[in-house]
Amino acid sequence: MKSDAQDPADDKSGKTKRDTETSRTPAAPVLAAAETAESAAPRGSDAKVVGDGDFRPADELDAEPAVADLPVPSRNKGSAAADQATTPRKRWGMAPVRWGGTLSAGLRRSTSENSTSTTSEIYEARLRANSYIWKPYIALVSGDFALTAIRSQDSGDAASSNLAGTSVTGSGTLNLFPQSRFPFTASLALSDSRSNGSFSTSNIEQRRLSLRQDYRPQIGQWTAAAGYDRSELTGTFGSDTVDRVFGNYSNVLGKHSVNLSGDFTRSRADGQSSRSYYLGGGHGFSFSDELSLNTNASITGQQFGIGSEDSTTAKTQSTQVFSYANWTPMDSKWRGSANLRYFETNNTIAGTTFESRTLGGAANLTYQASRNLSFFGTAGINVDSDRRVNSNQALGVSYSGDPRHLGGYDYTWFTSASATNSTAAKGITSRSINGSLGHSLVRSWQISDQSLLSGSVTQSVTNSRTTGLGSASTTTLNHGASLSMQANAGDRLTGYLSTSFSDSRTRGDATSSFQLFNVQLTGNWRVDANSELDSNLTWQWSRQQSDRINQPVVLIDQFGRPVFRDDTSRTGNTSLSGGVGYSHRRFAGIRGLRYRLDFRANTNRDDSRRFGNPDALREQDRATLDLDQRLLYRIGRLDTELQYRIAEIRGERNQLLFFRVIREFGSF
């Protein structure tokens, strides 16, 4: 909404300033306040479309009027008509509304490896609008409504596989005092999807409510926020509801900093229920630039049940406090740090309770004798709930040689040695001596003014001997190599490509090997004025093998005889994550024809909705590999789109061909 004042002191011809505005088009109705005199003639609205400069800052909207624009009070105090004409009054009117939408029709054909192809007709209508209440800095409102109709036919059996579906979605958002120190946001989204077929019928309703209140004082450095989320799904599977309440607070007072946060969630689905909560806080104190102290504490808990909410089958709770201090003097060769920690767990499973508590601390001190030589020492102690005490101490020294230039290469060698002592409960002790020696070779090549190629090779050997509990003697040989290229050509090219390989092999009383190969491509490349390539892709391969020579596994053959064999485990993993995208704004030299290619990979999956994430989907049917290509052509407000997509979902290859025509209307 907005407020306007009638000025009775208009030009001498008797024609008011508002008479000149009657030719403007009235805006759509949303509540607005306006001031006018009773004697003023009817006028039109001077509202503009939202987004065309009417959402001005509050200081501009509340600017004081000039002296010449102020109303002149009547000199004849006995004239009631004159007094009434100079007294403004408020009247509810109309605020500007920015609205628009789309109408679209499409044809989609999808195929899968283990199913027949499906052809679908898709029709969609969407309407969006936003405006404000009173004035833009008082409240902003927006709404979105969409209606989708789908008719599908299975190519395997056209007579019995017709499927008709409709989906209605709507959402609304209210931003109260968006430019203030205490903004409030509320949003509500509703959707209803129904489909009817010969063999299946589904009905899924989704409801999502989000409330959030923020606050910061006019004087001070503290901020606070609180909110509530509710996500509810209802369908043929039953109901799935997630409720979440959260809040946080942070403040800075001189050398002190404080932060508090809390989160409570409840999930109910398919006869199962779960609750989880988190309460955490932190405090930091900086004595000086050389000494600081930080403390963090948290309480977390989860509860799972089957059937009613009272039939709990599992419950877990953990409490931890961690405090640490850092000492880094500027003009000293000494460095140090210390920490103190407390950890407690309480688990209840099928009526049986398990408790555990641990209190411990550790400290370390480092002395930098020279640029190459340094000494270090560490000490730690832990006490559990059964009063069992574990302690450890270590002393060590490390030396790194000065780099030597051999042609275009930089060669460096390094060595270290340490001795440790560990004492467990009942006086059980173990001691170990560790020593390592290694060297590295590094070189860089300046390919051009904008690109740099770097490579390195490292090799090290480590020997460890342990006596007492768990005595063993092992030798580990490590190899590593990496090659990377970095390019920076201003706005045209910014990229980074790296490959690395590492190999570790351990021999002795314990035998194991580990290999890792990693490739990463990140950057943005403007090929020309109309096309660009962006990427953030990581590929990783790893393999691990371990043999326990001194711990054979006993198997029983078909005749009942024992068979001894060594325990050997082998694991391997290959993962791809990230994406690559390419876009062209004038494809094939045709003006207005756009092309977009997106490749996405994600092999990680989660079940976060069960643990209280209202944003997560119910079914994790995300594609592990996804190649999406689109051609778009626009003529005025008519937009056409051709999409071809190949995706791997649950190990199956799926293909999609989709053509759609979209007509826009309005000014959104």
Side-chain angles (χ1 to χ4, degrees), residues 389-412:
V389 180
N390 299 323
S391 63
N392 60 84
Q393 306 84 33
L395 291 175
V397 59
S398 63
Y399 185 89
S400 178
D402 292 327
R404 295 182 178 274
H405 302 285
L406 304 176
Y409 297 87
D410 292 332
Y411 176 80
T412 305

Side-chain angles (χ1 to χ4, degrees), residues 281-297:
H283 173 263
F285 179 71
S286 178
F287 293 91
S288 63
D289 295 338
E290 300 177 350
L291 181 61
S292 62
L293 176 64
N294 295 272
T295 301
N296 295 315

Side-chain angles (χ1 to χ4, degrees), residues 57-74:
D59 53 356
E60 296 183 12
L61 293 174
D62 290 339
E64 295 293 335
V67 176
D69 296 332
L70 293 176
V72 179
S74 173

Side-chain angles (χ1 to χ4, degrees), residues 8-9 70-87:
L70 293 176
V72 179
S74 173
R75 297 180 182 274
N76 186 2
K77 299 188 184 277
S79 176
D83 292 340
Q84 187 177 7
T86 59
T87 303

Side-chain angles (χ1 to χ4, degrees), residues 49 55 70 143 176 215 233 246 258 284 341 344 357 393 398-399 402 492 537 561 582 595 607 621 623 633 642:
V49 175
F55 280 13
L70 293 176
L176 189 61
Y215 182 81
L233 306 179
F246 65 92
V258 179
R341 59 189 179 276
E344 177 183 348
R357 287 183 292 272
Q393 306 84 33
S398 63
Y399 185 89
D402 292 327
R492 289 185 56 89
L537 196 65
R561 297 173 300 185
Y582 173 77
Y595 172 74
D607 192 14
D621 286 340
Y633 186 67
L642 178 63

